């Protein structure tokens, strides 16, 4: 008889993957890991969890030891503290380095989507000896986003200003119907403007995590940090000419949310010397909207 066991997020990953809970200095970091080979850190974005990587996990695990954490404040991981600076990408990058130390990975490749991409490039800037290769999915640096905030782009990424408003305005408004906000936000960032790209079990995991106590507040703190500490840290690096030394791959959705002046490669070349990349047919959620093309672009870069 067919199994009546409902499919869960855990079922989307290879059976060899294990769940972890790491007690760091600023709270627990939870996630999954599996595979074998050189270490590859995968960092998710807003408003998701590490589950977003499930379409690529099996294929990447054949080449790498994968570490897939929920970023602090997201999923099952703890919110690391109340000041806005606690969610700065500089602090989150240090948290992730501590996690990787615990797993015995002094040097590793890192791939980040959305907010995870911001942690990833900050990690590469602040800890260059740790990062062998860097891939960023559908983002530009935080400083560039704010500097390009004209009318058209502000309408497209209104959530940057909305979520960064002082507490408790966005928390209260989203808290009135968090499921609606999550579904509307995710659908609006896809090429098809619906939720068809997301596996039902993954979508259920995102909804449950987003509605959990403190998660909306943590995400708002993340965006408040983006408007303050992260912007200032990026500006300081630009002023001093500090650049990313690791080879960098930038992938973006052909129908994604990156601003349209030039290509993301033009921007990333201001931040790194060794830059390559391409557009992927899809919207913002490359891994779930077009896993085949995303994997085909990632794997040669990561295994080079």
């Amino acid at each position: 008889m067919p199994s009546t066991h409902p499919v869960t997020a855990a079922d989307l990953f290879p059976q060899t993957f294990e769940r972890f809970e790491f007690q760091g200095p600023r709270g627990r970091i939870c996630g999954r890991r599996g595979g074998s080979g050189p270490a590859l850190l995968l960092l998710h974005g807003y408003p998701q969890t590490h589950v977003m990587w499930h379409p690529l996990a099996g294929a990447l695990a054949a080449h790498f030891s994968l570490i897939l954490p929920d970023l602090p404040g997201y999923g099952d991981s703890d919110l690391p503290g109340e000041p806005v600076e606690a969610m700065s990408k500089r602090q989150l990058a240090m948290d992730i380095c501590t996690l990787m130390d615990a797993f015995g990975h002094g040097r590793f490749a890192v791939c980040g989507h959305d907010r995870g991409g911001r942690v990833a490039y900050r990690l590469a800037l602040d800890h260059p000896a740790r990062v062998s290769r860097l891939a960023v999915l559908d983002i530009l640096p935080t400083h560039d986003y704010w500097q390009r905030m004209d009318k058209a782009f502000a309408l497209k990424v209104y959530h940057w200003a909305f979520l960064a408003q002082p507490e408790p305005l966005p928390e209260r408004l989203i808290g009135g119907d968090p499921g609606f906000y999550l579904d509307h936000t995710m659908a609006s960032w896809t090429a098809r403007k619906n939720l068809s790209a997301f596996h039902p079990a993954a979508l259920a995991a995102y909804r449950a995590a987003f509605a959990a106590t403190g998660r909306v507040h943590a995400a708002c703190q993340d965006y408040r940090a983006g408007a303050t500490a992260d912007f200032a840290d990026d500006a300081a690096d630009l002023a001093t000419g500090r650049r990313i030394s690791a080879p960098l791959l930038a992938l973006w959705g052909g129908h994604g949310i990156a601003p349209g002046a030039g290509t993301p490669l033009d921007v990333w070349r201001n931040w790194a010397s060794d830059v390559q990349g391409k557009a992927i047919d899809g919207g913002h959620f490359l891994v779930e909207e077009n896993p085949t093309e995303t994997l085909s672009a990632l794997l040669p870069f990561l295994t080079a």
Side-chain angles (χ1 to χ4, degrees):
M1 294 181 62
S3 172
T4 58
H5 170 69
V7 177
T8 67
D11 298 320
L12 302 180
F13 290 89
Q15 291 184 351
T16 53
F17 275 49
E18 64 177 13
R19 187 178 184 277
F20 67 80
E21 288 191 15
F22 168 69
Q23 183 62 49
R26 301 201 309 150
R28 290 180 314 139
I29 300 177
C30 304
R32 283 186 172 86
R33 60 176 179 157
S36 61
L40 172 59
L41 172 67
L42 300 176
L43 300 177
H44 69 87
Y46 174 86
Q48 299 178 286
T49 71
H50 77 275
V51 174
M52 64 153 283
W53 297 107
H54 75 87
L56 306 186
L60 290 175
H63 301 271
F64 300 100
S65 295
L66 301 182
I67 299 89
L68 297 78
D70 288 334
L71 291 172
Y74 288 85
D76 291 330
S77 295
D78 291 339
L79 176 64
E82 268 309 300
V84 167
E85 292 77 15
M87 286 296 284
S88 74
K89 308 310 161 289
R90 172 159 284 160
Q91 289 293 329
L92 298 187
M94 288 192 286
D95 292 334
I96 295 300
C97 283
T98 302
L99 172 70
M100 297 301 280
D101 286 339
F103 290 144
H105 301 306
R107 186 168 168 82
F108 47 86
V110 56
C111 177
H113 174 250
D114 191 81
R115 310 306 288 180
R118 303 184 188 288
V119 178
Y121 84 76
R122 176 49 54 190
L123 201 161
L125 282 165
D126 287 359
H127 309 275
R130 306 296 302 264
V131 177
S132 59
R133 287 185 170 265
L134 168 65
V136 291
L137 275 55
D138 211 54
I139 68 161
L140 298 180
T142 299
H143 183 273
D144 291 86
Y145 258 37
W146 284 114
Q147 293 293 84
R148 289 165 173 247
M149 203 69 75
D150 60 10
K151 175 188 172 186
F153 191 46
L155 288 172
K156 185 182 283 190
V157 295
Y158 79 94
H159 65 290
W160 274 55
F162 170 59
L163 297 175
Q165 292 302 305
E167 185 183 2
L169 179 66
E171 286 94 338
R172 290 286 295 273
L173 294 178
I174 296 170
D177 195 343
F180 168 80
Y181 183 86
L182 177 82
D183 287 3
H184 171 80
T185 296
M186 293 186 66
S188 72
W189 294 346
T190 67
R192 294 183 178 179
K193 306 304 179 188
N194 61 39
L195 298 172
S196 62
F198 306 105
H199 191 286
L203 192 56
Y206 305 148
R207 288 167 173 160
F210 193 73
T213 302
R215 301 298 99 172
V216 170
H217 174 62
C220 291
Q221 293 290 82
D222 179 358
Y223 279 84
R224 290 171 184 135
T228 54
D230 298 341
F231 182 87
D233 290 338
D234 279 7
D237 287 334
L238 285 173
T240 60
R242 191 181 187 196
R243 293 168 67 81
I244 295 167
S245 59
L248 187 151
L249 174 72
L251 301 177
W252 63 95
H255 305 281
I257 61 175
T263 75
L265 296 184
D266 298 323
V267 177
W268 283 110
R269 287 182 177 125
N270 294 326
W271 291 82
S273 300
D274 185 349
V275 177
Q276 58 183 284
K278 58 177 288 190
I280 300 293
D281 184 16
H284 178 58
F285 300 99
L286 307 182
V287 173
E288 288 160 296
E289 291 185 69
N290 195 339
T292 300
E293 190 178 347
T294 302
L295 180 66
S296 294
L298 277 175
L299 202 51
F301 172 77
L302 293 171
T303 56

